[in-house]
Amino acid sequence: MPKPGKEVGFSPEVFLEAKLHTELWTSWASLLRSYAAAHGLNTTHHAVVEVGPDEITLRVNSKWLKFHHRTMQYSDGRKCAFALTEHGTVLTAAGKDKQEEEMDIAAERLAREMMQ
């Protein structure tokens, strides 16, 4: 029988990893929302960020960019690898082009791209 206060099936390391991922996921959505709003100040476009446990969607007019835990997909059909790291960076990869950026730099770049 498990000890009181312990989750069945989760070691403390797994729980910490899941908790860290949740925090990074929430931070990523917040950064996207902030940078999209900032870039929207100089345009007539309006961005909406929809957040769920397995998907974050950045919508601008008829365009969208969806983030899953391992992929990122554009409304035009492009798809690439995506990951948030424990170091607070974002990994993206399309073909052989692999890129690692700080979360805020990546969010600003992608929001700017979507708001154009």
Side-chain angles (χ1 to χ4, degrees):
M1 177 161 251
K3 293 181 183 178
K6 288 216 166 199
E7 294 290 327
V8 177
F10 288 104
S11 69
E13 294 81 19
V14 171
F15 177 72
L16 181 61
E17 186 176 303
K19 186 175 179 180
L20 177 60
H21 188 271
T22 299
E23 290 296 325
L24 291 170
W25 189 250
T26 303
S27 295
W28 177 245
S30 180
L31 286 167
L32 287 170
R33 188 177 287 116
S34 295
Y35 283 113
H39 284 292
L41 293 173
N42 295 321
T43 181
T44 58
H45 301 305
H46 177 75
V48 174
V49 177
E50 300 167 355
V51 183
D54 297 317
E55 182 177 279
I56 296 172
T57 304
L58 171 60
R59 294 184 190 280
V60 180
N61 295 334
S62 62
K63 298 186 303 186
W64 51 261
L65 177 56
K66 292 184 181 190
F67 299 90
H68 296 92
H69 299 290
R70 304 233 185 269
T71 60
M72 176 172 91
Q73 183 177 3
Y74 291 86
S75 54
D76 65 7
R78 291 179 288 153
K79 193 173 189 177
C80 66
F82 169 84
L84 299 172
T85 73
E86 65 184 13
H87 306 293
T89 61
V90 174
L91 289 171
T92 55
K96 294 182 181 182
D97 296 330
K98 185 176 179 183
Q99 186 170 354
E100 183 172 5
E101 300 173 286
E102 295 295 325
M103 284 176 64
D104 59 335
I105 301 299
E108 190 280 329
R109 177 179 59 80
L110 292 167
R112 180 175 12 97
E113 179 183 307
M114 290 297 292
M115 296 301 287
Q116 292 178 348

